[in-house]
Each structure stands twice: as structure tokens, then as C-alpha cells.
């Protein structure tokens, strides 16, 4: 399916169902992370469905905001959820092509991730909270450090596959021989590292830093607004994990839109996600948070690896 063609009703239905399922499963993913953290800390901890109960309770409560909070503060929860849903609709998670290619271009997806970060940071500033403003400055600084390496890694894959369409890249990675295998492997490692940071995991969660900044940009949110923000942040974790899987681990997808084929691909995807979140949970709970002023020292070598991947691609390695 060409990205310039309007998808059929069947593909649009699949895209909508796929996005809604991700939205529904986002609290389960974050709950799974909390269970892993509790087990590593040798404590009982919350149940895996606790985040569903938290969001339900918050939805029942009134949103309260500072009297001088602006328009951006109020629309940000919706922007966070909508941007992630647009990416979720386009990801070739269970099929070999993007079910909604209109937003299935990797450049479009990078912009949507940037919009998410921009509004998330701007909401903290717009709340006129000291903790929110400081968390927002950290979020933007982290974005400046992370996004170049993420973009460079994805550009390497796009150049190797000669397309920026996410569905075509996923299909080519699964079925075609790799033109520059070493470059793609290095790009995959860099992309995995960058998306781990995008998931807001320790030791790179300096923007929220509960012990220091009272959740940073989220500080002044409450009630239904806080529920939407938490839902958006959880959905982002699920989306970026599937973004990585769609590009670099594309095997096990449905060949047709038949129910049996889609069900089998969904089971395989669920297993992949469990493995990804388990590895991420182990990684974030075995490392201490970096000092904010020293994060660039950890990220600069990874950026050099991304540059090395581009050099390898140029020489065809």
C-alpha cells in the first residue's frame, strides 16, 4: 500500500483497533513495570492492574490547576494522548505494512514525538510552578541530547532501505537481505538506547525525578487531567517499544488480514513486548539516577556510535 494512497476501510479499521488496544493496554504495561520494580526491591508492591484503578479514581475527581495556568496547561493532556495514538495507528505491529500510511512516515513520527515532548515541557512552564518549570527545562535539555542520536540512527536505516515509509522499512528488514548489516546493527543499538530514554526510565528520568522535583512538569496536574497525562506517558512507553520492534525486530507478523493470522501475530507481539518491558525494568532498577549535569557524558559516546553507523553505511559495511 503506497503512503500516497487512501487506505481501505479494512486497513483503517485495523489502525483504529490497534491504537485503541494500545491505549487500553498502556496501564497494563506500566503496571508490569511497577511489579518488576517491587520484586527487585523485595517488597509486595502494587498489583499489575493497579494503574487501571488509579486512572479510574482520578477520572472521577475534579481537575484543579493554579489560577494563572494558561491554555497550554489544559490542552496538553489531550495532545499527549492524540499524538501517541496517531503513531500507534501507523505502526506495522501485526502486519507487514503500515495500516495507516498517512502518518506512517518515520519523519512524521519523529515530529509527533517532538510535539509530545514540546507540549509536555511547555505545560510545566505554563503551570507557573517552580518544580514544573525546572522539570520542563530538564525535559527539553534531554530532548536536545537524545533526539539527534535517535534521528541519525533512523536515518541510517532509512538510507539503507531507500525509503522513509515505516511499513516498507519493516517489510524490507524482514524479507530482504541487508545492504549494510554492521551499520544497521549499530543503528539498532543506538535506537534501542535512545528509545529507552524516551520511555522515561531510570537513570534518565531527570525531568520527573520524584524525590527532587515532585514529578516535574506533572506537578500541578490533578484529577482527570492527571489521569490523561499518566495515560499519555504510559502510551508513549508502549508506542516507542513497538516502534523499535516494528523496525528492528519485524518477524512474526501476519501475512493477511484474516482473523487467525492477526491473532497469531498479536500473540507474538505480546511476547515481544513482555520481553522488552522486562529487560527495560531490569535495566532501570539496577542503575542509580545520573546527576543531571553529567548525563551528556553518558550520551556522547552513543552519539559517536550513531555517527560510526552512518560511516559504515557510506562504505557499505
Amino acid at each position: 500500500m503506497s503512503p500516497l494512497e487512501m487506505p481501505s476501510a479494512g486497513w483503517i479499521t485495523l489502525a483504529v483497533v490497534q491504537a485503541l488496544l494500545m491505549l487500553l493496554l498502556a496501564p497494563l504495561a506500566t503496571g508490569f513495570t511497577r511489579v518488576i520494580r517491587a520484586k527487585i526491591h523485595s517488597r509486595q508492591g502494587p498489583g499489575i492492574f493497579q494503574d487501571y484503578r488509579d486512572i479510574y479514581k482520578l477520572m472521577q475527581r475534579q481537575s484543579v490547576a493554579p489560577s494563572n495556568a494558561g491554555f497550554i496547561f489544559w490542552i496538553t493532556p489531550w495532545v499527549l494522548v492524540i499524538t501517541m495514538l496517531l503513531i500507534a495507528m501507523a505502526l506495522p505491529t501485526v502486519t507487514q505494512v503500515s495500516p495507516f500510511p498517512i502518518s506512517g512516515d518515520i519523519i512524521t513520527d519523529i515530529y509527533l514525538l517532538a510535539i509530545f515532548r514540546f507540549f509536555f515541557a511547555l505545560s510545566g512552564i505554563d503551570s507557573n510552578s517552580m518544580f514544573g518549570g525546572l522539570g520542563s527545562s530538564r525535559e527539553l535539555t534531554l530532548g536536545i541530547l537524545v533526539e539527534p542520536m535517535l534521528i541519525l540512527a533512523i536515518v541510517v536505516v532509512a538510507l539503507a532501505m531507500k525509503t522513509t515509509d515505516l511499513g516498507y522499512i519493516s517489510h524490507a528488514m524482514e524479507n530482504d537481505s541487508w545492504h549494510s548489516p554492521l551499520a544497521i546493527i549499530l543503528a539498532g543499538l543506538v535506537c534501542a538506547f535512545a528509545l529507552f530514554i524516551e520511555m522515561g526510565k531510570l537513570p534518565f528520568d531527570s525531568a520527573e525525578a520524584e524525590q527532587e522535583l515532585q514529578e516535574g512538569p506533572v506537578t500541578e496536574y490533578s484529577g482527570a487531567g492527571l489521569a490523561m497525562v499518566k495515560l499519555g506517558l504510559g502510551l508513549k512507553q508502549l508506542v516507542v517499544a513497538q516502534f523499535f520492534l516494528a523496525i528492528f525486530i519485524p518477524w512474526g507478523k501476519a501475512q493477511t488480514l484474516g482473523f487467525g493470522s492477526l491473532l497469531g501475530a498479536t500473540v507474538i507481539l505480546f511476547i515481544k513486548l513482555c520481553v522488552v518491558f522486562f529487560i527495560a525494568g531490569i535495566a532501570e532498577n539496577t542503575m542509580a539516577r545520573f546527576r543531571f549535569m553529567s548525563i551528556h557524558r553518558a550520551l556522547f559516546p552513543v552519539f559517536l556510535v550513531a555517527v560510526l553507523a552512518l560511516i559504515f553505511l557510506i562504505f557499505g559495511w
Side-chain angles (χ1 to χ4, degrees), residues 256-283:
T256 64
L257 289 182
F259 177 77
S261 183
L262 289 175
L263 181 60
T266 302
V267 172
I268 294 174
L269 174 63
F270 185 77
I271 295 173
K272 290 181 186 178
L273 288 173
C274 287
V275 173
V276 168
F277 275 89
F278 179 77
I279 294 174
I282 296 296

Side-chain angles (χ1 to χ4, degrees), residues 106-177:
I106 58 172
I107 298 176
T108 302
D109 293 336
I110 289 173
Y111 272 112
L112 289 171
L113 287 171
I115 290 173
F116 183 102
R117 168 170 279 118
F118 175 76
F119 273 88
F120 183 57
L122 197 59
S123 67
I125 299 173
D126 200 41
S127 68
N128 290 289
S129 164
M130 178 182 67
F131 291 119
L134 187 57
S136 295
S137 67
R138 289 187 173 191
E139 179 71 19
L140 292 174
T141 303
L142 192 63
I144 292 172
L145 295 173
V146 173
E147 287 177 2
M149 70 175 71
L150 175 61
I151 293 172
L152 188 55
I154 293 176
V155 164
V156 167
V157 177
L159 291 175
M161 300 301 156
K162 298 180 175 58
T163 179
T164 59
D165 182 81
L166 193 55
Y168 288 166
I169 290 176
S170 181
H171 184 270
M173 290 284 285
E174 181 179 4
N175 297 287
D176 299 341
S177 58

Side-chain angles (χ1 to χ4, degrees), residues 12 16 19 25 30-31 65 67 113 118 122 142 167 170 189 213 226 230 235 259 262 283 297 315:
I12 293 178
V16 172
L25 294 176
T30 54
S67 58
L113 287 171
F118 175 76
L122 197 59
L142 192 63
S170 181
L189 294 175
L213 301 179
L226 179 58
K230 287 185 174 294
L235 182 59
F259 177 77
L262 289 175
R297 298 175 186 173
F315 286 98

Side-chain angles (χ1 to χ4, degrees), residues 44-58:
Q44 181 67 30
I48 196 171
F49 299 108
Q50 182 61 46
D51 283 358
Y52 286 104
R53 292 189 284 269
D54 292 343
I55 290 175
Y56 175 76
K57 290 179 180 178
L58 288 171

Side-chain angles (χ1 to χ4, degrees), residues 132 186 195 220 225 242 304:
L186 291 179
L195 292 178
E220 297 297 337
Q242 293 188 73
L304 292 182

